[in-house]
């Protein structure tokens, strides 16, 4: 069983000691941001702010929903101590067993319907999250629904949305992302407005499906159904034919007009920096808002690790890339690990090396994938290294990656405009280099040239190891 909506998830987290309610009045202007940022950095429970300054009681704000692995495990209906590798395996299995949604006539998200002159996004306690943010961000833990005009492909993606005024939001639309692709290549190219629906406060696995990549043309709502193990219930928007999760707390409906741009950003980002600047970007024009009574707005507080993005994408990217490598038959051990402390920049793979050059093949497969666009570093280790064990990975990088031969740089590739290490030109054109760290022993070395590892596992005869393990408690050490 997985939570059907945000309120069920909140109850589940609270019951397990993974959520704290804050009744003291908190300011939406940086105070909620500062508390939730500290909450990420100290790995504290998720937070539910019950009273925000300038807003009536009942207009609540939830922060840091999935900012720890135990919370993600609970969202998936698993025990809170589920290991990284098991989470990735579960995600992979369920996300590839897709379940189609069902349409329902009505739902809690329609309890209040606002249209016309009454529309005001700032009806909700939208936080100013970091000092220096270009504005108050409505969309930091949400999903944006858009449809391909030529097929029945409906995309869900999590793309940040900043309040411009009471009926407009701006957002960074990176051209290789699916929603933006539909906008630039189809709607705007043909001079048409693109209908959208921003859904806030949905069940945690729907959000997870939206912020993780699947192939072009795949409906994330079916992935969400797979993750949940039951169909997602959808209800029709008031002003378009788009369908949205019936259980959502808040739905914002509208259109992105062709050729319209207004300044958006900067924003404190998942990279741990405020990068990407302020620039003219597409505008989400709001036509209607529907919401539950006593709506709960949700936010993530991206910045230095570990926050919701590091956790959610490390599992989702890890699962996707593991699936891609297994499909191609690479003999990998366990799963691909997206190191959560590295803001998604580093993918680690452990492999039994059968022939020369496999590190390059694996890295190419990763970089060809949508998730791989976010991982400029790929680290390949021999199979004695557990890719999710940072003690082992760090040691392998430091000792087995030849500084001249083991580091391979691919200078021209697709990047992310938010990369802190990119110069202004690279950021503008979303290009960046990629780097492969090959930490495997060369296959053309004679066996006797390979240094023997000094570890309990490797450098004691099995007879001694067995004796020591058998007698362990009798030594009185622990
Ligand atoms: C908290 C959070 C915020 C994100 N914000 C953005 C964003 O503003 N722009 C963007 O392109 N991707 C953003 N992403 C990543 C995308 O949601 C992710 O790449 C997803 O796969 C996009 O959907 P798509 O593959 O259908 O394009 C964010 C992810 C998270 C977890
Ligand atoms: Mn997509």
């Amino acid at each position: 069983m997985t939570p059907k909506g945000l309120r069920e998830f909140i109850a589940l987290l609270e019951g397990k000691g993974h959520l704290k309610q804050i009744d003291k009045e908190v300011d939406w202007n940086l105070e909620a941001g500062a508390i939730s940022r500290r909450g990420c950095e100290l790995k504290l429970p998720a937070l539910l702010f019950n009273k925000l300054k300038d807003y009536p009681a009942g207009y609540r704000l939830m922060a840091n929903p999935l900012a720890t692995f135990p919370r993600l495990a609970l969202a998936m209906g698993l025990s809170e101590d589920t290991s990284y590798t098991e989470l990735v395996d579960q995600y992979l299995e369920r996300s590839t067993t897709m379940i189609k949604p069902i349409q329902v006539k009505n739902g809690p998200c329609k309890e209040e319907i606002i249209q016309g002159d009454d529309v005001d996004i700032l009806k909700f306690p939208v936080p100013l999250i970091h000092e220096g943010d270009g504005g108050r961000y409505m969309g930091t833990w949400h999903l944006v629904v858009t449809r391909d005009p030529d097929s029945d492909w409906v995309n869900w993606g999590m793309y940040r949305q900043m309040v411009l005024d009471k009926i407009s939001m701006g957002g960074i639309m990176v051209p290789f992302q699916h929603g933006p692709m539909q906008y630039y290549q189809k709607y705007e190219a043909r001079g048409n407005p693109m209908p959208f629906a921003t859904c806030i406060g949905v069940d945690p696995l729907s959000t997870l499906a939206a912020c993780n990549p699947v192939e072009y043309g795949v409906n994330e709502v079916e992935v969400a159904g797979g993750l949940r193990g039951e169909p997602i219930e959808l209800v029709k928007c008031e002003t378009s034919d788009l369908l949205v999760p019936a259980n959502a707390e808040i739905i914002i409906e509208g259109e992105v007009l062709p050729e319209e741009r207004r300044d958006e950003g900067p924003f404190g980002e998942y990279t741990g920096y405020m990068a990407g600047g302020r620039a003219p970007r597409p505008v989400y024009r709001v036509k209607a808002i529907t919401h539950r009574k006593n709506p709960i707005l949700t936010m993530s507080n991206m910045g230095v690790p570990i926050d919701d993005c590091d956790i959610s994408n490390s599992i989702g990217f890890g699962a996707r890339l593991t699936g891609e490598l297994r499909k191609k038959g690479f003999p990998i051990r366990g799963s691909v690990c997206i190191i959560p402390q590295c803001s998604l920049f580093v993918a680690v793979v452990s492999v039994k090396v059968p022939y020369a050059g496999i590190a390059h093949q694996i890295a190419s497969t990763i970089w060809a994938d949508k998730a791989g666009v976010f991982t400029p570093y790929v680290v390949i280790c021999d199979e004695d290294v557990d890719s999710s064990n940072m003690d082992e990975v760090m040691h392998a990088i430091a000792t087995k990656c030849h500084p001249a031969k083991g580091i391979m740089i691919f200078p021209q590739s697709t990047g992310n405009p938010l990369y802190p290490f990119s110069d202004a030109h690279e950021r503008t054109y979303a290009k960046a280099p990629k780097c492969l760290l090959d930490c495997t022993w060369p296959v053309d070395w004679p066996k006797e040239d390979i240094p023997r590892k000094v570890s309990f596992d490797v450098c004691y005869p099995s007879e001694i190891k067995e004796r020591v393990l058998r007698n362990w408690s009798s030594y009185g050490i622990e």
Side-chain angles (χ1 to χ4, degrees):
M1 282 290 284
T2 62
K4 200 175 167 69
L6 184 68
R7 296 187 191 198
E8 267 186 32
F9 184 45
I10 287 175
L12 171 70
L13 289 179
E14 190 169 30
K16 300 269 184 189
H18 285 282
L19 178 130
K20 282 265 183 266
Q21 301 212 24
I22 298 175
D23 293 326
K24 182 178 161 59
E25 181 175 279
V26 167
D27 200 334
W28 54 265
N29 185 2
L30 293 177
E31 190 181 4
I35 298 169
S36 59
R37 180 97 285 277
R38 197 164 143 79
C40 291
E41 292 176 18
L42 298 179
K43 301 184 176 57
L44 302 182
L47 302 167
L48 181 60
F49 297 107
N50 286 325
K51 177 70 181 78
L52 282 302
K53 186 164 176 270
D54 306 329
Y55 286 87
Y59 280 67
R60 293 167 287 167
L61 175 65
M62 185 206 191
N64 309 355
L66 293 185
T68 62
F69 286 120
R71 298 214 279 277
L72 190 142
L74 289 171
M76 291 189 64
L78 301 169
S79 96
E80 53 192 280
D81 58 0
T82 308
S83 71
Y84 180 87
T85 309
E86 178 62 16
L87 286 173
V88 167
D89 274 342
Q90 283 278 337
Y91 190 99
L92 175 58
E93 194 182 317
R94 294 197 214 168
S95 62
T96 47
T97 315
M98 302 205 285
I99 298 178
K100 285 195 188 308
I102 49 172
Q103 189 173 346
V104 295
K105 287 221 151 50
N106 208 340
C109 72
K110 302 283 190 185
E111 284 173 2
E112 303 278 346
I113 298 178
I114 308 159
Q115 298 202 48
D117 290 345
D118 293 334
V119 171
D120 181 0
I121 316 160
L122 290 174
K123 176 177 188 192
F124 307 98
V126 184
L128 182 69
I129 299 178
H130 319 97
E131 184 181 34
D133 283 354
R136 296 165 72 176
Y137 274 80
M138 181 74 184
T140 61
W141 191 250
H142 61 306
L143 61 91
V144 182
V145 185
T146 51
R147 191 180 40 225
D148 178 59
D150 301 326
S151 69
D152 51 12
W153 172 33
V154 176
N155 195 68
W156 282 8
M158 186 181 290
Y159 314 117
R160 78 188 195 198
Q161 290 174 320
M162 184 188 98
V163 177
L164 295 168
D165 57 47
K166 63 186 213 170
I167 53 159
S168 324
M169 301 184 291
I172 192 162
M173 283 221 197
V174 190
F176 56 73
Q177 298 286 55
H178 291 155
M181 245 185 218
Q182 294 173 335
Y183 173 68
Y184 295 124
Q185 295 179 19
K186 304 247 172 142
Y187 288 96
E188 185 173 61
R190 298 172 192 175
N192 294 331
M194 175 174 79
F196 78 91
T198 296
C199 313
I200 302 174
V202 298
D203 73 86
L205 298 184
S206 287
T207 335
L208 208 54
C211 75
N212 279 307
V214 284
E215 272 91 5
Y216 180 91
V218 171
N219 297 341
E220 277 88 353
V221 67
E222 299 176 28
V223 176
L227 289 173
R228 289 220 27 228
E230 57 180 313
I232 307 294
E233 293 184 357
L234 300 176
V235 65
K236 198 184 96 52
C237 279
E238 299 300 303
T239 59
S240 74
D241 288 335
L242 293 175
L243 301 177
V244 291
N247 234 298
E249 295 287 328
I250 302 168
I251 305 288
I252 300 174
E253 306 178 9
E255 290 176 338
V256 188
L257 302 183
E259 308 298 340
E260 186 177 24
R261 302 288 187 271
R262 282 170 67 182
D263 279 356
E264 186 263 2
F267 184 53
E269 269 291 350
Y270 79 99
T271 59
Y273 297 92
M274 202 159 278
R278 188 171 181 79
R281 292 179 179 133
V283 180
Y284 298 87
R285 284 177 170 262
V286 181
K287 296 202 318 202
I289 297 177
T290 73
H291 67 86
R292 289 183 78 147
K293 288 193 192 317
N294 297 323
I296 306 174
L297 178 62
T298 47
M299 67 176 274
S300 65
N301 191 323
M302 292 186 287
V304 296
I306 292 175
D307 55 46
D308 292 86
C309 187
D310 303 307
I311 296 294
S312 305
N313 287 151
S314 96
I315 296 301
F317 288 14
R320 178 143 183 93
L321 296 172
T322 300
E324 292 305 293
L325 294 179
R326 284 191 193 148
K327 262 192 241 166
K328 290 204 156 37
F330 293 119
I332 63 169
R333 168 184 163 188
S335 60
V336 176
C337 178
I338 306 294
I339 303 178
Q341 295 89 343
C342 294
S343 299
L344 318 176
F345 282 58
V346 186
V348 185
V349 183
S350 175
V351 64
K352 181 174 172 55
V353 178
Y355 50 78
I358 195 170
H360 179 258
Q361 287 184 323
I362 290 175
S364 309
T365 304
I366 289 178
W367 290 327
D369 191 80
K370 191 150 186 288
V373 171
F374 297 91
T375 60
Y377 291 99
V378 170
V379 176
I380 311 285
C381 300
D382 279 313
E383 68 164 345
D384 60 326
V385 171
D386 171 357
S387 61
S388 66
N389 180 328
M390 285 315 112
D391 291 350
E392 295 181 16
V393 171
M394 290 297 168
H395 181 251
I397 293 174
T399 57
K400 290 171 69 177
C401 183
H402 190 286
K405 297 179 206 160
I407 302 177
M408 280 156 267
I409 293 167
F410 306 88
Q412 303 288 351
S413 185
T414 307
N416 183 327
L418 300 176
Y419 282 163
F421 56 64
S422 291
D423 64 30
H425 178 83
E426 287 172 317
R427 280 187 207 153
T428 305
Y429 292 94
K431 45 192 240 178
K434 305 245 187 261
C435 178
L436 161 60
L437 302 184
D438 186 350
C439 311
T440 62
W441 297 125
V443 290
D444 46 1
W445 277 14
K447 229 177 161 193
E448 55 278 14
D449 285 0
I450 296 176
R452 189 157 165 238
K453 194 165 165 181
V454 185
S455 67
F456 177 80
D457 257 359
V458 177
C459 75
Y460 296 92
S462 28
E463 168 208 326
I464 298 286
K465 282 197 287 191
E466 275 158 27
R467 190 195 315 158
V468 165
L469 290 177
R470 199 170 47 245
N471 293 338
W472 193 252
S473 55
S474 71
Y475 299 131
I477 300 169
E478 54 176 278

